[in-house]
Amino acid sequence: MSTLTPAEDELATPRVGIGPHLLSVADLGAEGIAEVLRVAEAFAEVERRSIPKVPTLRGKVVASLFFEESTRTRLSFETAAKRLSADVLSLAVASSAVQKGESLRDTIETIEAMGIDAVVLRHRSSGAPAQVARWVERAHVINAGDGWHEHPSQALVDCFTVRQVLAEARGAEPASLGVGCFEGLRIVIVGDVRHSRVARSEVLAYGALGAEVVLCGPSSLLPASLEGWPAKVAEDLDDAIAHADVVSLLRLQAERGSGSFVPSLREYTAGWGLTAERVRRLPPHAIVTHPGPMVRGVEIASDVADLPAVVATRQVTNGVAVRMALLFLLLGADSALEGLGGARG
Ligand code: CP
């Protein structure tokens, strides 16, 4: 197994403490977000090796608890933990004692009694990770998506990807773009904002890095109040995307009842979907992000989904490096920070 090269080691040396938990993008602030992106660059290098594995978290145990469906986030966190040489416990909720009526608290306490170091938790209830963080004694809790509330690691992946594209366009190293690097960028978040935990985390993350954030969707699928949201609303999608640097598409959250907020899927697509006709309105440099899973033919036309401007696959690739950085900063950075005289945030 290879180790970090001196250059990667320098990149991965923590300068800002994060934690003890990651429940919301607000836990990080602009400096914390920049730190995650900086450290993720080191792990992106590891990802490009023939054997993309380092011993950094050897001896640590990461528990993966997904009470809601997931493909990307679960596999990405588990891959990230394994690439850092942590042991991974993956609870299959459908065949666990949860089905016999065991409570979330008892489940967490049972798992913590096995000596785990981190819980990566997805739950349908907003606030479940914050509640778990109050119950655990020593484990770090990472929110992998809670109800409509937040999906912080997804927003960090999206920031990493946008910064990567921005750096390529400028012929610069991504690591050279720090806090405030999105100043002057207009990011338009389109679709079911009301039910989207990704949108909530993106608004905080993009805003913290200096972007102008614009929300666009049917009024029934926008938040009831924008108080506390550092974002504005655009009513005309065609006009909004014509001036966008980044279009962040959201899935219509059928499992949260979004279908009853629109007259029909066909009308939703006609009004708010990224069709081939609409994509022609985008500025030539603009990119389209999608956190996945993508529903082709609803929020995005199938032929549009495969255009080079759509960076969804790149987001998935970057997800592993960003989650390696999060696990490293939460689990592996304590001693290094002590060495620097630093303190946890
Ligand atoms: N983006 C996202 O959370 O995807 P999964 O539901 O597949 O994890």
Side-chain angles (χ1 to χ4, degrees):
M1 189 187 308
S2 56
T3 54
L4 294 174
T5 64
E8 289 160 2
D9 195 43
E10 158 63 18
L11 261 179
T13 300
R15 296 177 191 162
V16 177
I18 72 162
H21 309 294
L22 178 64
L23 308 175
S24 161
V25 166
D27 295 340
L28 296 171
E31 298 283 344
I33 295 168
E35 177 70 351
V36 174
L37 303 190
R38 191 182 67 76
V39 174
E41 285 298 336
F43 292 120
E45 287 301 318
V46 171
E47 281 279 291
R48 288 190 269 273
R49 294 183 191 168
S50 56
I51 302 175
K53 189 157 178 159
V54 289
T56 317
L57 293 187
R58 191 181 280 160
K60 303 282 186 186
V61 184
V62 175
S64 163
L65 271 65
F66 280 68
F67 290 81
E68 250 192 358
E69 302 76 9
S70 170
T71 297
R72 279 147 283 270
T73 313
R74 184 169 70 80
L75 294 182
S76 176
F77 266 117
E78 292 181 6
T79 303
K82 287 175 183 172
R83 292 203 168 155
L84 292 167
S85 301
D87 296 314
V88 177
L89 301 181
S90 185
L91 181 76
V93 172
S95 57
S96 73
V98 171
Q99 302 307 322
K100 299 177 188 170
E102 186 163 55
S103 69
L104 178 60
R105 182 170 194 157
D106 286 337
T107 303
I108 293 296
E109 287 179 358
T110 300
I111 290 166
E112 199 181 25
M114 295 174 195
I116 57 149
D117 298 285
V119 179
V120 179
L121 178 71
R122 171 167 290 189
H123 205 281
R124 72 188 67 82
S125 300
S126 299
Q131 183 61 62
V132 168
R134 288 190 281 274
W135 291 331
V136 292
E137 287 183 8
R138 52 174 289 278
H140 300 271
V141 179
I142 301 177
N143 179 2
D146 61 331
W148 305 4
H149 175 228
E150 277 213 44
H151 193 346
S153 68
Q154 180 66 52
L156 293 165
V157 170
D158 301 346
C159 286
F160 186 87
T161 306
V162 170
R163 191 180 75 154
Q164 195 177 57
V165 173
L166 199 61
E168 284 167 10
R170 292 179 184 172
E173 287 298 322
S176 69
L177 309 181
V179 178
C181 61
F182 288 176
E183 269 164 33
L185 279 195
R186 175 176 289 178
I187 299 181
V188 181
I189 302 178
V190 182
D192 184 3
V193 180
R194 183 187 183 101
H195 300 122
S196 174
R197 54 196 176 208
V198 173
R200 277 171 183 72
S201 290
E202 278 189 344
V203 165
L204 293 174
Y206 286 142
L209 295 183
E212 177 191 7
V213 182
V214 178
L215 309 176
C216 200
S219 55
S220 58
L221 289 176
L222 292 177
S225 162
L226 280 180
E227 201 179 320
W229 290 62
K232 55 175 109 164
V233 170
E235 292 181 1
D236 185 324
L237 176 61
D238 291 328
D239 183 54
I241 64 174
H243 301 97
D245 300 294
V246 178
V247 174
S248 167
L249 292 184
L250 302 172
R251 182 174 61 86
L252 196 61
Q253 307 261 309
E255 71 276 29
R256 304 190 207 289
S258 300
S260 58
F261 287 76
V262 295
S264 69
L265 282 186
R266 199 155 47 84
E267 282 163 280
Y268 177 80
T269 303
W272 306 100
L274 191 62
T275 58
E277 191 183 333
R278 280 204 175 100
V279 96
R280 284 193 277 277
R281 301 182 70 87
L282 288 173
H285 69 276
I287 59 167
V288 178
T289 65
H290 194 306
M294 200 182 262
V295 185
R296 290 171 184 250
V298 179
E299 71 270 13
I300 187 166
S302 190
D303 49 349
V304 171
D306 298 322
L307 293 175
V310 179
V311 295
T313 306
R314 202 198 269 225
Q315 288 170 268
V316 175
T317 302
N318 289 336
V320 177
V322 170
R323 290 174 175 116
M324 285 171 84
L326 284 173
L327 290 170
F328 170 70
L329 287 167
L330 286 167
L331 275 76
D334 294 353
S335 52
L337 279 170
E338 275 160 24
L340 290 171
R344 291 190 126 192

